[in-house]
Amino acid sequence: MFKVTSLAASLLFGSLVPAFAADKLSVLLEWYVNPDHAPLVVAREKGFFAVHGLEVDLLPPADPAAPPRLVAAGQADVAVHYQPNLYLDHANGLDLRRFGTLVETPLNTLTVLADGPIKTLKDLKGKRVGFSVSGFETALLNGLLRSAGLTDQDVTLVNVNFSLSPSLISGGVDATIGGYRNFELTQMRLAGHEGRAFFPEEHGVPAYDELIFVTRKDLVNDSRLPRFLAAVEEAAIYLTNHPEESWTLFIKAYPDLDDELNRQAWIDTLPRFAKRPAALDALRYRRFGQFMADSGLIKQAPVISDIAVELGQ
């Protein structure tokens, strides 16, 4: 007979019995699961969350506008959100803090038909521009127009009710604002119509983070959050090094997304994920806040510490 010490037991059975119960963390997505969420899915499927002692629930919203409000009200821990909308939420009294980044570049575009008459932004004069949501999308458009010496008086805005690509393809509008460069362009190509995109950050609009992680103020010091970001960072790096293996994990978890559109979106989105999700570029946030104020969407740019934090600082 030999005596099994507690250390030996942990070595023998540690892989069979977890050392401690994982901490639960609820994450509300901004939309249904898609390739924009790849680091979250990979972190779950590869066990990175589990290694950091977390059990993370990824929850698509019934109402895409609801996640920030639900987090602010204490009904969930984290929401995937848009940096531009964070300024609007702050102005409306939601006490949220950005604590991490998921997609670190803009995805929004102004899109036209590749074989159409619009070759430069100046060609938009006298044309119809389709949009889905007034506010930030029209502010983006105005920034693009200003870079070409135009104003919103030089175009006709048409609300196309989320039917961006079909409206452009059918000729109902000459351009659209708000389509994502990693989805809509591929949708158009698959429909037999090549598109051309103008990127706001190349035409007068400050660069911003498309997707961020937000929580309420009283959870900023919660020990689960840095562990969550550590797992997301590991997943983003794994995605970069192993894109094919990661895609296999993704479609195994969500087989209904295994199609040409999502496959191309996967490829197009890979370089846009934050490799240092916890890092905060305060100057970038300050610059974009001023853009929001100058566009009339908020009264004044907020103090950065009132909307965003870098954990551990």
Side-chain angles (χ1 to χ4, degrees):
M1 292 289 290
F2 64 94
K3 186 175 181 179
V4 179
T5 66
S6 59
L7 174 59
S10 66
L11 292 174
L12 285 169
F13 305 117
S15 61
L16 302 177
V17 181
F20 52 86
D23 293 325
K24 292 180 180 282
L25 189 74
S26 55
V27 178
L28 297 179
L29 305 179
E30 85 296 350
W31 197 245
Y32 56 84
V33 175
N34 63 74
D36 289 349
H37 306 125
L40 295 170
V41 175
V42 168
R44 185 188 65 192
E45 299 302 309
K46 282 291 292 181
F48 297 145
F49 286 139
V51 167
H52 289 278
L54 294 174
E55 180 183 331
V56 177
D57 290 327
L58 304 178
L59 306 170
D63 173 6
R69 297 196 304 271
L70 294 173
V71 168
Q75 297 181 41
D77 302 314
V78 173
V80 176
H81 201 21
Y82 306 92
Q83 182 187 336
N85 292 62
L86 177 61
Y87 299 86
L88 301 174
D89 290 339
H90 174 75
N92 290 323
L94 283 187
D95 201 9
L96 297 170
R97 298 292 186 279
R98 169 268 176 215
F99 70 93
T101 304
L102 178 57
V103 175
E104 65 182 1
T105 74
L107 296 178
N108 253 301
T109 64
L110 185 143
T111 304
V112 300
L113 291 173
D115 59 359
I118 300 173
K119 306 303 182 185
T120 71
L121 290 174
K122 289 183 180 294
D123 297 329
L124 287 170
K125 187 170 184 177
K127 299 298 193 294
R128 299 157 299 170
V129 181
F131 71 97
S132 297
V133 181
S134 62
F136 178 61
E137 286 185 6
T138 49
L140 273 184
L141 175 61
N142 288 338
L144 287 156
L145 292 173
R146 281 196 300 272
S147 75
L150 303 175
T151 73
D152 57 359
Q153 300 302 307
D154 292 309
V155 300
T156 299
L157 290 173
V158 180
N159 190 332
V160 297
N161 297 317
F162 295 97
S163 185
L164 292 170
S165 296
S167 297
L168 182 57
I169 290 170
S170 69
V173 295
D174 304 294
T176 60
I177 188 73
Y180 274 8
R181 62 195 70 176
N182 58 339
F183 276 96
E184 267 76 10
L185 289 174
T186 300
Q187 280 184 325
M188 292 177 66
R189 177 177 59 78
L190 293 176
H193 299 271
E194 291 289 340
R196 176 189 294 114
F198 295 92
F199 304 136
E201 68 274 21
E202 295 180 357
H203 297 280
V205 177
Y208 59 92
D209 300 331
E210 189 68 49
L211 294 177
I212 58 176
F213 300 114
V214 298
T215 191
R216 56 190 175 277
K217 181 181 179 181
D218 63 6
L219 275 189
V220 164
N221 295 317
D222 191 299
S223 67
R224 293 173 297 172
L225 300 186
R227 288 185 277 146
F228 169 77
L229 291 181
V232 171
E233 179 173 325
E234 290 170 18
I237 293 171
Y238 183 86
L239 275 159
T240 302
N241 293 337
H242 307 283
E244 290 298 326
E245 294 91 333
S246 298
W247 169 250
T248 300
L249 286 171
F250 185 79
I251 59 173
K252 182 178 179 182
Y254 300 97
D256 56 319
L257 299 182
D258 187 7
D259 58 31
E260 187 175 352
L261 173 60
N262 284 292
R263 174 69 187 221
Q264 187 60 49
W266 181 271
I267 295 169
D268 292 341
T269 313
L270 279 177
R272 302 185 181 278
F273 294 122
K275 307 302 187 295
R276 297 176 61 226
L280 172 65
D281 187 335
L283 176 59
R284 193 183 199 190
Y285 269 67
R286 190 175 300 113
R287 187 167 54 230
F288 196 78
Q290 192 59 54
F291 169 79
M292 295 287 285
D294 293 343
S295 299
L297 295 175
I298 57 177
K299 289 184 178 180
Q300 62 183 23
V303 175
I304 300 305
S305 59
D306 287 344
I307 63 167
V309 298
E310 185 168 349
L311 300 184
Q313 298 298 309

